[in-house]
């Protein structure tokens, strides 16, 4: 199932041509490189085979391209962990010139198996924000169960009225041409459900699609033992809630539980303090930020694309989600996210996390 889009054409043709002409290097020099600029990159999964990412939703990157990107920024930037950068800022010390921090969200096992060897080879520090609920049991994330169901179903359409009773269109097509768009719509509808009902709604969706067996697209997650192993390798661990829910939809007590439970378990498993937090799906507001600060986290990241400049907003740090594309498009994304002159075509590399 190969989705060919205008964005893919731009990535494969326009970006290499503009990069060859030096356009992106000039944009990076003007807007990205600098003493006080802090670039934070966001990844989710590093995969070996494209079949693991049939819908190209922006959460996966091939291992070869990941290695190329890490090699590029270790030559052109100064890698620093989020925790070390935050400590420098609290102490009033400057960040190294062209500071860059690497982050991974959710806590997939392929971080340990595919990403970490590359990061170690280039001596590049990293931070992994881990969702802790169902970690030891190996429970799949709800969105992976949806991806798996939509990819494997034989149904020609799906009725969404149990998710959106007032929807003007009750059924969405599942033909090859429309399947990716329908999947994205389903995910958005599920994000809008009360957090305590998402799992129930996902199972109802899978039943409607006639999918009863877990498939290979339900990507494995890290287990408890992996957390300790990563900590011993020098990987920084950050909290990402217990259930990976939209915290804006939770009560104060529920938010506090999500923050405290995930942090407590990660500290027990890693033997190191957990000072950083990542908002699930980038969904946050002023109330959630205050609760994160009250819980004792010293920094938090969202999914807003951009470059961090002084004065740094430590509870709403911006990140750039990196594309599964060659260095030319990698550089375009950096320049675009940093507010450089408009790129010929927009490319949102990570629509959600």
């Amino acid at each position: 199932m190969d989705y060919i889009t205008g964005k893919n054409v731009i990535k494969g043709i326009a970006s290499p041509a503009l990069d060859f002409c030096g356009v992106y290097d000039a944009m990076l020099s003007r807007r990205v490189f600098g003493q006080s600029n802090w670039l934070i990159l966001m990844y989710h999964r590093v995969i070996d085979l494209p079949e693991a990412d049939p819908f190209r939703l922006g959460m996966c990157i091939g291992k070869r391209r990941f290695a190329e990107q890490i090699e590029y920024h270790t030559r052109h930037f100064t890698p620093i962990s989020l925790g070390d950068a935050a400590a420098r800022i609290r102490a009033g010390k400057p960040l190294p010139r062209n500071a860059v921090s690497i982050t991974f969200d959710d806590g997939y096992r392929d971080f340990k198996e595919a990403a970490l060897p590359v990061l170690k080879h280039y001596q590049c520090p990293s931070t992994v924000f881990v969702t802790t609920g169902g970690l030891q049991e190996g429970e799949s994330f709800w969105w992976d169960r949806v991806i798996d169901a939509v990819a494997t179903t034989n149904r020609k359409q799906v009725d969404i009225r149990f998710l959106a009773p007032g929807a003007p269109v009750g059924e969405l097509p599942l033909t090859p041409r429309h399947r990716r768009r329908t999947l994205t719509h389903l995910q958005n509808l599920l994000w809008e459900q009360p957090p305590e009902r998402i799992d129930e709604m996902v199972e109802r969706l899978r039943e409607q699609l006639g999918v009863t067996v877990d498939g290979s697209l339900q990507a494995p997650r890290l287990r408890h033992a992996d957390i300790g192993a990563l900590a011993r390798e020098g990987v920084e661990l950050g909290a990402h809630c217990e259930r990976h829910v939209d915290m804006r939809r939770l009560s104060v007590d529920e938010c506090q539980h999500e923050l405290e439970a995930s942090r407590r378990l990660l500290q027990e498993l890693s033997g190191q303090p957990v000072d950083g937090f990542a908002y699930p799906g980038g969904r946050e507001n002023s109330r959630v930020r205050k609760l994160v600060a009250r819980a004792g986290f010293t920094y938090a990241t969202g999914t807003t694309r951009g470059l961090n400049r002084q004065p740094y907003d430590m509870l709403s740090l911006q990140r750039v989600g990196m594309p599964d594309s060659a260095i030319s498009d990698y550089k375009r994304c950096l320049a675009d996210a940093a507010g450089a002159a408009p790129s010929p075509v927009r490319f949102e590399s990570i629509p959600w996390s």
Side-chain angles (χ1 to χ4, degrees):
M1 195 181 305
D2 190 11
Y3 290 90
I4 300 174
T5 67
K7 293 176 182 178
N8 291 332
V9 173
I10 293 300
K11 289 161 59 178
I13 299 175
S15 284
L18 290 169
D19 186 44
F20 179 79
C21 295
V23 172
Y24 295 146
D25 287 329
M27 294 165 72
L28 290 171
S29 295
R30 288 197 309 269
R31 295 300 184 90
V32 176
F33 297 123
Q35 179 61 56
S36 62
N37 292 344
W38 183 14
L39 174 66
I40 304 176
L41 304 183
M42 175 175 61
Y43 295 94
H44 291 78
R45 298 190 57 206
V46 176
I47 59 176
D48 288 316
L49 300 174
E51 290 80 5
D53 184 27
F55 296 108
R56 311 289 174 84
L57 295 177
M59 290 183 64
C60 300
I61 181 171
K63 187 174 181 179
R64 178 180 60 83
R65 283 178 168 163
F66 176 70
E68 291 173 351
Q69 292 179 8
I70 297 300
E71 190 273 338
Y72 173 83
H73 77 248
T74 53
R75 284 192 292 111
H76 296 278
F77 293 83
T78 304
I80 185 172
S81 71
L82 281 177
D84 287 345
R88 284 190 182 221
I89 292 169
R90 289 197 304 272
K93 298 179 179 179
L95 295 180
R97 184 172 179 81
N98 303 335
V100 64
S101 300
I102 308 299
T103 69
F104 278 77
D105 281 11
D106 301 333
Y108 285 100
R109 190 183 301 169
D110 52 47
F111 171 81
K112 179 183 176 183
E113 297 173 347
L116 185 58
V118 174
L119 294 165
K120 288 175 63 177
H121 176 77
Y122 290 104
Q123 299 181 334
C124 184
S126 59
T127 303
V128 182
F129 294 104
V130 182
T131 298
T132 56
L135 199 65
Q136 186 61 11
E137 295 78 12
E139 293 180 4
S140 299
F141 289 119
W142 66 259
W143 57 88
D144 282 337
R145 298 203 301 276
V146 175
I147 291 171
D148 181 71
V150 172
T152 58
T153 184
N154 292 320
R155 304 293 165 84
K156 303 301 181 183
Q157 58 191 19
V158 56
D159 192 327
I160 64 170
R161 281 171 288 196
F162 74 100
L163 290 172
V169 178
E171 296 178 335
L172 297 179
L174 288 169
T175 58
R177 178 183 175 186
H178 297 97
R179 193 166 292 212
R180 183 179 188 271
R181 181 177 296 178
T182 292
L183 169 62
T184 302
H185 192 60
L186 288 170
Q187 289 174 331
N188 289 334
L189 288 175
L190 286 162
W191 268 113
E192 294 172 3
Q193 303 303 309
E196 67 277 6
R197 296 195 64 199
I198 290 179
D199 287 338
E200 173 194 344
M201 294 294 100
V202 169
E203 291 312 308
R204 286 184 61 180
L205 174 62
R206 286 168 59 84
E207 289 175 7
Q208 185 184 144
L209 294 175
V211 177
T212 59
V213 178
D214 293 343
S216 61
L217 295 178
Q218 299 192 32
R221 298 167 58 190
L222 296 168
R223 295 296 184 94
H224 282 188
D226 296 322
I227 302 300
L230 292 180
R232 290 190 293 274
E233 292 281 4
V235 175
E236 180 182 18
L237 282 305
H240 200 38
C241 278
E242 185 177 56
R243 294 180 292 162
H244 200 287
V245 293
D246 185 346
M247 296 178 67
R248 299 171 302 180
R249 296 176 175 270
L250 302 181
S251 68
V252 170
D253 289 343
E254 289 171 327
C255 281
Q256 289 177 335
H257 171 79
E258 290 288 337
L259 294 165
E260 294 170 2
S262 58
R263 186 184 199 182
R264 181 170 56 250
L265 179 59
L266 289 173
Q267 289 184 153
E268 291 174 356
L269 296 174
S270 68
Q272 62 180 222
V274 173
D275 297 323
F277 182 78
Y279 303 103
R283 290 160 166 79
E284 49 99 350
N285 55 23
S286 59
R287 181 182 74 105
V288 172
R289 290 193 297 272
K290 289 177 182 177
L291 292 172
V292 169
R294 185 189 302 173
F297 292 98
T298 58
Y299 65 87
T301 63
T303 59
T304 301
R305 299 175 73 234
L307 184 69
N308 298 283
R309 298 182 174 92
Q310 291 179 323
Y312 307 108
D313 186 347
M314 298 304 294
L315 291 178
S316 191
L317 293 169
Q318 299 181 88
R319 295 187 288 177
V320 179
M322 298 317 301
D324 183 14
S325 56
I327 292 299
S328 59
D329 206 62
Y330 170 98
K331 291 193 285 186
R332 180 183 64 79
C333 285
L334 295 185
D336 187 46
S343 200
V345 173
R346 304 284 298 178
F347 172 60
E348 300 296 336
S349 55
I350 299 290
W352 57 282
S353 67

